[in-house]
Every structure is written in C-alpha cells, then in structure tokens.
Amino acid sequence: MERAALFRGGDAQMAAGDLGELLVPYMPTIRVPKSGDRVYKTECAFSYDSPDSEGGLYVCMNTFLGFGREHIERHYRKTGQCVYLHLKRRVIEKVPGASGGALPKRRNAKLCLDLETNSDLNSDDFEYEDEAKLVLFPDHYEISLPNIEELPALVTIACDALLGAKSPYRKQESDSWEEELQASKHAKTLVQLDNGVRIPPSGWKCSKCDLRENLWLNLTDGSVLCGKWFFDGSGGNGHAVEHYKETGYPLAVKLGTITPDGADVYSFDEEEPVLDPHIAKHLAHFGIDMLQMQVTENGLRDNDIKPRVSEWEVIQEAGVKLKPMYGPGYTGMKNLGNSCYLNAVMQAIFSIPEFQRAYVGNLPRIFDYSPLDPTQDFNTQMAKLGHGLLSGQYSKPPMKSELIEQVMKEEHKPQHNGISPRMFKAFISKGHPEFSSNRQQDAQEFFLHLINLVERNSVGSENPSDVFRFLVEERTQCCQSRKVRYTERVDYIMQLPVAMEAATNKDELIAYELKRREAEAARRPPPELVRAKIPFSACLQAFSEPSNVEDFWSSALQAKSAGVKTSRFASFPEYLVVQIKKFTFGLDWIPKKLDVSIDMPDFLDISHLRARGLQPGEEELPDIAPPIVIPDDPKALDIDESSVMQLAEMGFPLEACRKAVYYTGNLGAEVAFNWIIAHMEEPDFAEPLVIPAFGEVASSGAAALGAVGLDNQPPEEMVAIIISMGFQRNLAIQALKSTNNNLERALEWIFSHPDLEEESEPALDMMDMENNANANVLAETGSEGPRIKDGPGRYELFGFISHMGTSTMSGHYVCHLKKEGRWVIYNDLRVCASERPPKDLGYIYFYHRIPS
C-alpha cells in the first residue's frame, strides 16, 4: 500500500495496523525524553518562531530540538530525521456562552502542551486553542493527536513525554545561584478590600508593635505589619504571619523594596517569595504609584521626589507620550527577570554595521554549517539574535482596523511583538557564576564578557570586535631618577572618572545636603533632589592627569620610590566605548553610585590623547625585577598578639588565630573573628601560618610591573597583598587578571563581586579561562601584535546605556540609539521615538569615528 493512500483516501478513519505499518521504518529514530534531556518545544533553534507563530513549531522526535517552518527542512536535510511533532497554539477571543459565562481557557481539553502562558493576556478575554500533530518528512504526512488507540505504544509514550516536558531553561536556572521566582497562584484572583486604606510614602510602622523596620504591606486589606524575628536579633515580631493565620490573606509586599522595576512579594500560603505580575495594580489600590518610587540612602523608598528630577522618570522619559516604532531595527526584547542589562547591550551591539555584517550578513552560511545542536553554538545564536532584532519580522505595527477597534472598545489587544532572548541568555551565561544567575548585573562587565566570546568564536579573519579594540600606552616615571618605562596593553573601554570636585553647582549641593539631613532628622519627606553638574572637560582632564603608583619600586634606584603613571591612546578604535565610573566605594567600602549629570558631547575629539612613545631626552628604566624578600620565620611577623589571645580564649586553634589576625591586617579581634568563621571549614585551617611563596613571580620587569604577559600570570607580590587582606588566593588571581594586574582596580573588582568569594572552583576556573583568552590577544595574533583599526581620534555619539538605581546589582537599564537621524529609546519590549534623550545621565556611551 502506498503511503499517500493512507492519508488521502477520504474521511474514513485509518486502521491502527495501517499507522503501525507507516511508522515502522521510523521507530528506531523515535526517542522518549529522559531525565536530563532538554526539550525545546517553545522556541526555534534558528529563529524566534514558537507554537504561537503562524507556522507553529516542529520538534524533532530524536534530538528534541525545535524548528520554525523556515528552518525545518534544513534540519531534515542535515540529519535525515523524518519524524517531528508539530505544535500550534492559537490565541482567540473568548465567546460568551449561553449563560453569559466564558468558555474554558483551553479549547482542546484532551491536549496539554504545558507551554508557558503569555502574562500580557487577560484570561477573562482570551483563551488558548492547542493543536499537536505528528509530521513525517519529506512528504509532510500529518497524524493528528491525541490518537492513542491507533499509534504504536512507543510513539504514544514519546509524544506524551514530549508534550509534558518542562522548559529546558528551568533545569539550568535551578543550578544558578538563585532560582527564578514563580508567579503566585493568588496574584491573578487576589481580592482587595475597598476599605479606603492609603499608604503614606514614609513613616511606616507596624500597626501592632510600632516597629519601623522589616515591614510588610498586606495586599488584601492594606495592613502594615512586621516580619519574622531573625537569629541575629533583627527582623520583627511576626505580626504579618499572625495576621495571615487569622484572615487567610495570602500576599504581602515588603515596604522599602518597591521600585518602578518591581518589589519583593511573599506568599504566606505558598511559603516562599513569589512574583506578582499585577503588582502595579495591587499597589495602586492603596495609593502607591510604582513609577514614582525612588530609593533613598537609608534603603527606604519614597515617592516625594518630583518627576522632573527622578532618575527613573527622566531616563525612561516617563510622563511623555512616546510614539512606538516598528520595523527592522526597532524590535524590543523581553525582560526575563533582571536581564535588562543584556537587552541594552545587545541592542547597542547590533546597531553597529560590522556586527550586522558578521552575523546577519553571514546568516545562511552560519546556519548551514552550524553543529548538530545549534542551541550550543555561539555564532548561530548571535546570528539568530541579530536577525530577530534587524529583520522586522517580530516588530510589526498593528493593523489600522485593530487600532480603530481598540479605540472604539477602549481596550488594548495584546501584541506579539518583540523577542524573548531566553535561549541566547542560557547559552552565553552557561557556567558563568554571575550572568547565569537571575540577579541584575553590570552592563559594562557583560559587554566585556560578550567581546571575549566574540574573540574566542571568530571565524577566519572576520572579527567584529576589532572595531572596539585599541592599544593603551602606559608611561611610568620614577620621580627621583626621572627615568621612564613605556608599556602597552589592549583595552576595549575608556573609563572616565567623575570629577566631583569640578561640580559647577557646589553651593546648591551644600544647601541640598543640609536640608536633606534636617528632613531625615525630623522624619520629613526629603527636599527636591539636586544633582551634581559635572563638565565633561573636567572628567577628560582627570583621565589624562598622572596618577601615583602605590609601592613603586624603581629599577634605577633598586629601591622603593615615588612613581607616577599616565595613560594615552597608542591607537584610536573605530568605535569608542566610554564608561562613566559612577560606581565607587566609600571609606567604609560600601558601594555607592554617584548621581551626577555630565554634559556628554555629541562630537568628541581626543586627538590630544594620542601616545607619543619614548621622547628625546628620556631615559628608560632598567628592565630589572624587584628583589624577592621572604621572611625566614613567619612568627617574626608583626602580629597583634592581644587579638590572637582573645580569639584563642574563645576555643579556636592558636595557629588559626594567628592566621586570622595576619590576613586581616591586624584590624582587631572582631574582624579576625569574621575571617575564622569564613575559613574554619578549610582543611588547612589549623595549620601553621605560611607566607605565600614569592618565587613564582615573572622574571621580566615588565611582567612584574603588571604589563600583560603571554602567560598573563599576575605578579606574586600583588597576589600576596590581596591574600593578606583575607581573600582566597584564586579570587585574588582572578581579580588581578580581570583588571590587567591593577591592584586598586582589583580590590574594587573583589568588593563589587562579594559572592564570588564563596563560589566554587569550577566557576572561577571558567572565568579564569575566559580572562586568559581575553588578555592573551598578543599571543593569539602572533608576533605582529593585536589587530587594531587605528585612525583619527574624532567621534560622534550614536548611543548610550543608562542605569537607574543605587547599585549595578539592582535597578534597571535602558538603551538610547540614534537611528535614521533621530533618537530611539529601547526599554526592553518597548521601542519608541525618544523626545528627550537623557544624554547627561548615561553610564556607557558609544561613539563612532568621523571619517577624515
């Protein structure tokens, strides 16, 4: 019997034997998903097609990879796999039933695809209609499901397992530092009492015990109550939990965590932190406007900051009706939960022609030569993301008839525009201790992480990251002998310090600070914010000025001396990335953000910063490494014995106490006690104090002074200095490698990555391998040196990334890009024409060279 006859013989139902006969040749290729198998049934490996797309999604019954209609034939030709499960989901408006009620949410009750739901859809107005079919290639024969009676048992089991499989990303997320919060089952149906309760912007206290910290707002009745008591004496008296037990009101939000980006919500019924997709509406019920909430220095939020100066309002251009933009290059990206840093960077990256050509221009070749698992190939996923952003396929304006209908009905139909970069994020962050988590990250660090991956995965001579690369010439001078040393290193970002001392509104700042302190003491709302205004020229001047070199050892004097260092551009890149160093540390090492306004220029000329090399009359420092001094007896070191005895009296081993005091720099018994608690599980905890060996230091003077060597091994004396502060050796090495062996920046790096000290060796090893690849550009490119695109130092601004919040580990990122002569704001999925681009509040700026 011919196969065509099996399916084209009319409406008569096919016999079970006929289906079995048809599927027999393919049975060896059909697999049942096992534990650990990743089933990609929500997204195409080559595009952003999904079961919601017009052509649905085809899932291979052998590899469990998903493919859109445009890419399924490629996989069939490459692998010979013939059996696919075709998934299609339709979103339709509900039709009122005879009794006035709505039909069930799922039209096909026999089929459960277990797909993620669209949070933008209102279940009162829309529902899903799911469809699944087995499709046999190359003839596209279709077998509708469910068809349990007629299909072979193996096929039925495989289909059921695939349809019920969980998202592959959930497995990865469970291995990250923090699992992604799930939406509460109560969020959609939460009942809020109309009792007239309005929550003030500040001055909160528990209604039962007058506590003013760890307060929770119950989202049902508006009660403000304290949380649980913690072991360290902080927390509260548990009145919020008692209230839940009395009333059954399940959800509460922590006061002091509300920002325009979200809030901390806890479900007493589910006994875990949860997401509330409708948090803005639930807070508005009690008079709280999330968009007005602004963080204050004491960690609380208030909404008394006027919109015209609020960082959140200005950067997102809130309060202004912005015109949505559609078409190629105007595609938004879904926020996956603190992934706005990735969205902002990738929008900027794919606005650059070199990246467009390298990935989107070579898309057919990249896709055709992709490995059997394209979800694990960097170039494939970059090409996929670039095409998704630039094709316009996922950024289509609503039809005119739809707009009229929305206006007439005064309702908003959900739009399926934008892409969800879940597969891209899962791959690019795999194994990375920071980006694989669901926490907010530093956009500058992610940019360097991306460039590193581009470097490692560039094919042939085409490397789009060449446009960012430049050489820095560092001139170090001994102040006593006046002799100099010149070294070069590779960099991708120009870091500009914030010259706070050059603020042009100092009187206003002083007056504001006095008013702020008075308001804080009197528990009044703070005064209108005054932001420091810093001239860009002052920041550029601070960048070019000499800086002192700590513990400089002069090879000319064979002794320590005063030294100064200046940095200049040995080459100018095609695209100049400028980072404003807004994040700094106070005297107590607490990170803080400088809320400043800098008049960034549209046109920038840094030609005067061109390096000149060794000048006539200058004499070079001898290439001699500093001597190695190793104490013969560690016990002879300067250790505060009184602190040692205090710790020993607590019952800790004497040698462990000596190490604790030594590694914390004799800062006292309390600091040393914290070191003991952090290291007491280590196997050598009670072993005698041993000073790290200095003999491993690089022999060349250049390497000893921190220049990038071919082995990229940090100078051992720098490692020892960081270890002496109580940090682990592998963390010290990682920090130095990440900052080109700059001791000051290495310490900043450590304090900005506090969780890495407790991270496992494999994760640090992964970052170590990554930084080796990044720092060894000289070695990779041979004796000719790194590839650079030198040219004039004149630039024009075409984009900037802004950050809202007090830390790189929190807040929100937004990207502004200049396209077709006008500025456009990219705020995750929202892409609009910008009316007032806040160029003075940016964090990272992108300039392109002006042709000479």
Side-chain angles (χ1 to χ4, degrees):
M1 179 185 299
E2 295 184 1
R3 292 178 185 172
L6 292 174
F7 290 87
R8 299 170 187 167
D11 297 331
Q13 188 168 349
M14 185 183 304
D18 294 338
L19 273 180
E21 177 186 344
L22 175 70
L23 292 171
V24 163
Y26 309 113
M27 295 294 281
T29 67
I30 298 177
R31 294 176 54 227
V32 178
K34 300 177 182 177
S35 177
D37 284 336
R38 295 181 178 272
V39 178
Y40 295 93
K41 63 177 184 178
T42 59
E43 181 181 349
C44 172
F46 293 107
S47 70
Y48 290 93
D49 286 350
S50 69
D52 297 286
S53 302
E54 183 179 352
L57 191 73
Y58 295 83
V59 182
C60 175
M61 295 296 290
N62 182 269
T63 64
F64 311 125
L65 295 170
F67 303 96
R69 187 164 58 186
E70 296 180 4
H71 303 284
I72 181 65
E73 292 285 352
R74 176 187 291 106
H75 186 258
Y76 163 70
R77 292 194 307 268
K78 181 179 290 188
T79 65
Q81 297 295 333
C82 297
V83 185
Y84 296 85
L85 188 63
H86 182 244
L87 306 178
K88 183 72 179 79
R89 165 169 284 182
R90 295 180 179 86
V91 180
I92 57 178
E93 288 189 77
K94 283 186 177 179
V95 179
S99 60
L103 296 175
K105 186 173 182 180
R106 295 185 187 277
R107 294 284 289 272
N108 190 345
K110 296 181 180 180
L111 190 65
C112 179
L113 299 188
D114 192 23
L115 300 175
E116 297 177 0
T117 58
N118 188 340
S119 59
D120 295 331
L121 293 178
N122 186 342
S123 61
D124 295 333
D125 302 319
F126 298 93
E127 62 183 348
Y128 297 122
E129 184 177 64
D130 294 338
E131 178 182 86
K133 298 177 182 178
L134 273 179
V135 181
L136 306 182
F137 279 71
D139 299 320
H140 295 268
Y141 291 127
E142 297 180 353
I143 304 173
S144 297
L145 297 177
N147 207 344
I148 300 176
E149 297 83 3
E150 301 168 359
L151 291 175
L154 173 65
V155 178
T156 300
I157 294 172
C159 290
D160 288 344
L162 193 150
L163 290 173
K166 299 297 182 183
S167 166
Y169 310 111
R170 295 180 191 174
K171 296 179 182 179
Q172 178 183 357
E173 287 157 3
S174 65
D175 296 331
S176 63
W177 290 355
E178 293 181 2
E179 291 194 33
E180 184 174 358
L181 299 181
Q182 300 298 316
S184 171
K185 63 182 180 181
H186 300 289
K188 188 185 302 182
T189 58
L190 184 71
V191 176
Q192 294 188 281
L193 303 183
D194 191 11
N195 53 11
V197 172
R198 290 295 180 268
I199 305 301
S202 59
W204 310 303
K205 66 178 182 178
C206 176
S207 60
K208 292 188 177 181
C209 66
D210 292 338
L211 278 179
R212 294 180 178 273
E213 60 181 18
N214 192 22
L215 299 177
W216 294 78
L217 167 67
N218 190 287
L219 291 175
T220 296
D221 64 358
S223 299
V224 176
L225 299 160
C226 60
K228 295 180 181 179
W229 178 86
F230 299 118
F231 71 93
D232 62 355
S234 65
N237 297 314
H239 288 138
V241 178
E242 291 180 7
H243 185 67
Y244 160 70
K245 292 178 180 178
E246 295 171 0
T247 63
Y249 300 156
L251 298 184
V253 60
K254 187 173 184 180
L255 294 174
T257 68
I258 304 170
T259 72
D261 205 33
D264 293 348
V265 181
Y266 188 84
S267 172
F268 297 108
D269 176 49
E270 296 158 285
E271 297 184 340
E272 62 179 354
V274 295
L275 290 178
D276 181 359
H278 309 285
I279 184 64
K281 181 181 74 172
H282 292 157
L283 291 173
H285 181 81
F286 299 110
I288 300 176
D289 184 357
M290 287 179 64
L291 285 179
Q292 300 287 338
M293 301 303 282
Q294 173 75 8
V295 71
T296 60
E297 286 191 5
N298 60 4
L300 300 177
R301 269 76 175 174
D302 66 81
N303 57 3
D304 292 323
I305 306 298
K306 294 187 178 180
R308 73 176 185 87
V309 294
S310 167
E311 186 181 47
W312 292 84
E313 296 272 349
V314 175
I315 290 177
Q316 297 187 98
E317 302 188 52
V320 180
K321 189 174 183 180
L322 302 178
K323 178 184 177 183
M325 303 287 286
Y326 302 99
Y330 300 105
T331 304
M333 298 174 68
K334 182 179 179 181
N335 192 323
L336 305 175
N338 290 326
S339 66
C340 52
Y341 68 92
L342 180 148
N343 295 350
V345 171
M346 298 315 299
Q347 292 283 9
I349 286 292
F350 276 110
S351 70
I352 296 173
E354 284 77 2
F355 279 85
Q356 296 175 1
R357 289 195 297 267
Y359 295 106
V360 183
N362 289 325
L363 184 140
R365 178 179 62 82
I366 293 175
F367 282 2
D368 287 342
Y369 290 95
S370 64
L372 292 180
D373 186 357
T375 67
Q376 302 303 306
D377 181 62
F378 176 78
N379 292 323
T380 299
Q381 293 308 309
M382 281 288 284
K384 168 186 171 179
L385 180 65
H387 179 265
L389 294 176
L390 300 175
S391 65
Q393 186 175 341
Y394 307 98
S395 178
K396 297 178 180 178
M399 301 293 290
K400 189 174 182 180
S401 58
E402 294 178 359
L403 291 174
I404 296 175
E405 183 181 358
Q406 289 178 32
V407 173
M408 295 295 293
K409 292 186 176 182
E410 296 184 351
E411 65 180 21
H412 174 67
K413 275 193 175 182
Q415 297 294 322
H416 298 287
N417 279 329
I419 60 177
S420 175
R422 191 176 294 273
M423 186 179 293
F424 178 80
K425 183 180 186 295
F427 172 74
I428 201 172
S429 63
K430 184 176 62 175
H432 195 287
E434 295 173 76
F435 303 127
S436 61
S437 74
N438 292 305
R439 293 195 302 273
Q440 186 63 276
Q441 302 296 335
D442 188 346
Q444 178 255 2
E445 290 184 6
F446 178 74
F447 170 79
L448 292 177
H449 172 69
L450 177 73
I451 295 303
N452 179 35
L453 291 177
V454 173
E455 293 275 0
R456 289 162 53 187
N457 292 276
S458 61
V459 179
S461 60
E462 188 171 23
N463 184 352
S465 66
D466 289 349
V467 300
F468 296 123
R469 191 184 303 110
F470 59 93
L471 292 177
V472 177
E473 177 192 87
E474 291 188 339
R475 177 185 183 272
T476 307
Q477 183 174 35
C478 171
C479 295
Q480 188 169 344
S481 68
R482 312 303 297 174
K483 294 183 179 181
V484 298
R485 172 179 290 111
Y486 286 88
T487 57
E488 284 189 351
R489 61 178 174 84
V490 173
D491 214 332
Y492 296 87
I493 292 182
M494 178 186 187
Q495 294 184 311
L496 275 187
V498 178
M500 291 295 294
E501 67 282 356
T504 58
N505 58 339
K506 291 180 181 179
D507 293 340
E508 294 179 42
L509 291 172
I510 294 173
Y512 164 75
E513 184 61 23
L514 291 174
K515 291 180 182 178
R516 187 193 66 79
R517 292 181 180 179
E518 291 173 359
E520 186 176 297
R523 292 189 174 275
R524 297 196 309 267
E528 180 178 318
L529 177 67
V530 176
R531 185 174 286 116
K533 298 178 181 179
I534 312 295
F536 173 76
S537 57
C539 299
L540 200 60
Q541 179 64 29
F543 172 84
S544 62
E545 289 178 350
S547 60
N548 293 325
V549 180
E550 299 290 337
D551 293 323
F552 174 69
W553 187 85
S554 171
S555 59
L557 304 176
Q558 296 286 297
K560 286 191 175 182
S561 174
V564 294
K565 181 175 67 176
T566 55
S567 299
R568 293 291 186 269
F569 286 83
S571 67
F572 290 121
E574 185 76 19
Y575 287 83
L576 179 66
V577 182
V578 179
Q579 177 199 13
I580 305 299
K581 298 176 68 175
K582 289 187 173 184
F583 298 97
T584 183
F585 295 91
L587 296 176
D588 51 3
W589 286 104
I590 296 177
K592 64 178 182 179
K593 178 181 174 182
L594 302 176
D595 189 5
V596 297
S597 170
I598 301 177
D599 58 336
M600 295 297 292
D602 288 317
F603 296 93
L604 174 63
D605 189 346
I606 55 173
S607 302
H608 63 285
L609 295 178
R610 168 79 73 173
R612 299 179 180 179
L614 187 67
Q615 295 296 297
E618 289 184 333
E619 185 177 352
E620 289 189 273
L621 284 164
D623 191 10
I624 302 174
I628 309 300
V629 179
I630 304 177
D632 296 329
D633 182 8
K635 295 182 180 180
L637 296 172
D638 182 18
I639 295 179
D640 183 3
E641 292 297 337
S642 63
S643 296
V644 173
M645 295 312 298
Q646 287 184 53
L647 295 171
E649 289 172 359
M650 298 180 188
F652 297 112
L654 181 62
E655 289 299 333
C657 298
R658 291 178 60 80
K659 287 199 291 187
V661 174
Y662 169 74
Y663 284 135
T664 54
N666 291 320
L667 293 178
E670 183 178 354
V671 177
F673 174 78
N674 293 332
W675 185 95
I676 287 178
I677 296 301
H679 295 81
M680 63 191 309
E681 298 298 329
E682 296 177 1
D684 61 345
F685 174 67
E687 295 296 322
L689 174 63
V690 177
I691 302 301
F694 287 87
E696 299 173 8
V697 66
S699 59
S700 68
L705 287 169
V708 176
L710 295 183
D711 61 356
N712 193 37
Q713 191 65 23
E716 192 63 33
E717 60 267 32
M718 289 187 178
V719 176
I721 291 172
I722 296 178
I723 290 177
S724 70
M725 297 179 182
F727 299 105
Q728 296 178 5
R729 177 180 176 82
N730 55 5
L731 186 63
I733 293 175
Q734 178 59 40
L736 288 167
K737 287 184 176 181
S738 299
T739 56
N740 288 321
N741 298 332
N742 184 305
L743 185 59
E744 181 182 357
R745 289 174 57 197
L747 290 173
E748 292 182 2
W749 188 93
I750 290 176
F751 281 103
S752 64
H753 300 74
D755 297 314
L756 277 185
E757 188 175 7
E758 302 175 1
E759 189 51 43
S760 62
E761 290 284 348
L764 282 171
D765 288 344
M766 186 271 178
M767 293 183 69
D768 180 54
M769 175 185 68
E770 212 174 76
N771 282 279
N772 275 333
N774 194 30
N776 290 341
V777 176
L778 289 172
E780 292 176 4
T781 53
S783 58
E784 297 179 0
R787 300 176 301 273
I788 58 173
K789 295 190 174 182
D790 198 6
R794 296 185 299 275
Y795 296 92
E796 181 179 0
L797 181 69
F798 73 93
F800 59 95
I801 293 173
S802 307
H803 174 266
M804 295 153 279
T806 57
S807 167
T808 55
M809 306 304 288
S810 63
H812 183 58
Y813 286 96
V814 168
C815 179
H816 282 78
L817 296 172
K818 195 172 186 179
K819 291 191 173 182
E820 298 177 325
R822 71 174 304 166
W823 285 96
V824 180
I825 179 173
Y826 293 81
N827 190 353
D828 291 333
L829 282 173
R830 191 174 179 222
V831 181
C832 301
S834 173
E835 295 295 334
R836 295 196 295 261
K839 290 182 284 188
D840 60 323
L841 299 181
Y843 174 47
I844 302 174
Y845 293 85
F846 294 85
Y847 286 86
H848 66 83
R849 182 164 27 229
I850 300 174
S852 56

